[in-house]
Amino acid sequence: MGRERLRPVDLAREHGLSTQAVRNYEEAGILPPAERTPSGYRVYGPLHARALRVFLALVPAHGHPTATAIMRAVNEGDVEGALAMIDESHAQLLKDRETLKAVEHALRDLAPSDRAAPVRTGPMFVGPLARQLGVRPATLRKWERAGLIRPQRDPATGYRVYGPDDVRDAHLAHQLRRGGYLLDQITPLLEQVRSAGGLEPLESALRDWRGRLTSRSHAMLAGAAQLSVYLREGGGSATYAKG
């Protein structure tokens, strides 16, 4: 690509960033090492500008930490490692889609006519329920403090006891957390389920979740396209990564 010289401010302006953010990205390995003038000023080139575009395209697709790790791996010459991380993200997205389907199936099981006689899946203590969900017992206690689940206490031992409704709510909470919902967003949805006030709020949340998964899929395509161009233009080559 030529030897065009770019200042940190030139890269920053394109994306509405600060020059300090650009320097931070270089220090984090998101950008390849910059050349330095005799007076110590950073000098970037078109490939650095491309690297920044790639990173900003990868963030909505994979999240900031994974996007950082991908760019660092590429700039260190470990392209296979970067591609493996992208594969893992795609696998996680597929798992999230499967989780969404599971929540939708759970909704069908929560029809008003079924709430009076829920499927018996309890009582359970905190340890077995945590293992069933794949979370820590501390997570269940956190959900309890947020009002997501309301276990009773065993009068003899004082241990938490989760009845059928608590187990159901814990599963729904876990599935919604996997979908990216915050605790204070989940609490009113579960309140609606408990009070038989209608499933529309939860159904609306699931439509939003599906939309966000679709947006993430598109972002993955856009990020992959940017990364492909970067690799073709020399990003990740051993000579360039060594600066």
Side-chain angles (χ1 to χ4, degrees):
M1 288 185 68
R3 297 295 296 172
E4 178 186 355
R5 290 193 167 194
L6 300 171
R7 302 165 298 169
V9 68
D10 296 322
L11 272 66
R13 282 174 179 164
E14 180 182 351
H15 306 286
L17 301 172
S18 68
T19 54
Q20 185 58 53
V22 173
R23 290 191 286 267
N24 291 343
Y25 287 155
E26 182 194 345
E27 292 171 2
I30 292 167
L31 306 183
E35 295 179 2
R36 296 277 185 159
T37 65
S39 55
Y41 290 106
R42 289 175 171 85
V43 177
Y44 296 116
L47 201 59
H48 293 93
R50 172 64 67 184
L52 184 55
R53 294 186 199 109
V54 174
F55 172 70
L56 295 176
L58 291 174
V59 169
H62 306 281
H64 197 284
T66 300
T68 298
I70 290 169
M71 292 304 297
R72 185 182 295 123
V74 168
N75 291 325
E76 291 174 353
D78 183 15
V79 176
E80 287 191 7
L83 295 177
M85 284 184 267
I86 292 172
D87 290 343
E88 289 173 2
S89 259
H90 279 282
Q92 183 62 62
L93 179 60
L94 179 59
K95 186 175 181 180
D96 289 344
R97 289 191 182 281
E98 292 170 347
T99 299
L100 173 59
K101 290 180 181 178
V103 178
E104 290 171 336
H105 285 303
L107 272 181
R108 286 197 288 271
D109 292 337
L110 290 173
S113 60
D114 294 336
R115 290 191 190 127
V119 177
R120 300 300 300 182
T121 54
M124 298 181 71
F125 292 108
V126 63
L129 180 57
R131 286 192 294 274
Q132 185 180 97
L133 294 172
V135 301
R136 297 175 181 273
T139 299
L140 291 177
R141 290 191 285 270
K142 181 179 180 180
W143 292 355
E144 180 183 347
R145 291 193 297 272
L148 272 65
I149 47 179
R150 300 171 180 176
Q152 302 298 312
R153 294 279 184 164
D154 185 292
T157 64
Y159 293 153
R160 291 173 173 83
V161 179
Y162 298 84
D165 289 350
D166 301 313
V167 174
R168 175 204 64 195
D169 292 346
H171 276 272
L172 282 172
H174 179 56
Q175 291 163 334
L176 289 167
R177 286 291 288 150
R178 292 279 302 119
Y181 285 85
L182 303 176
L183 297 184
D184 60 0
Q185 295 173 313
I186 297 172
T187 301
L189 299 177
L190 292 181
E191 289 287 357
Q192 288 286 343
V193 172
R194 294 190 189 106
S195 64
L199 295 176
E200 183 59 31
L202 193 51
E203 291 169 348
S204 176
L206 293 179
R207 286 194 296 270
D208 177 63
W209 182 2
R210 182 178 294 282
R212 286 187 288 115
L213 290 180
T214 299
S215 295
R216 188 176 166 202
S217 291
H218 285 295
M220 284 183 171
L221 291 175
Q226 290 279 3
L227 180 58
S228 179
V229 173
Y230 181 58
L231 293 174
R232 287 201 306 271
E233 292 180 351
S237 64
T239 55
Y240 195 87
K242 292 177 181 176

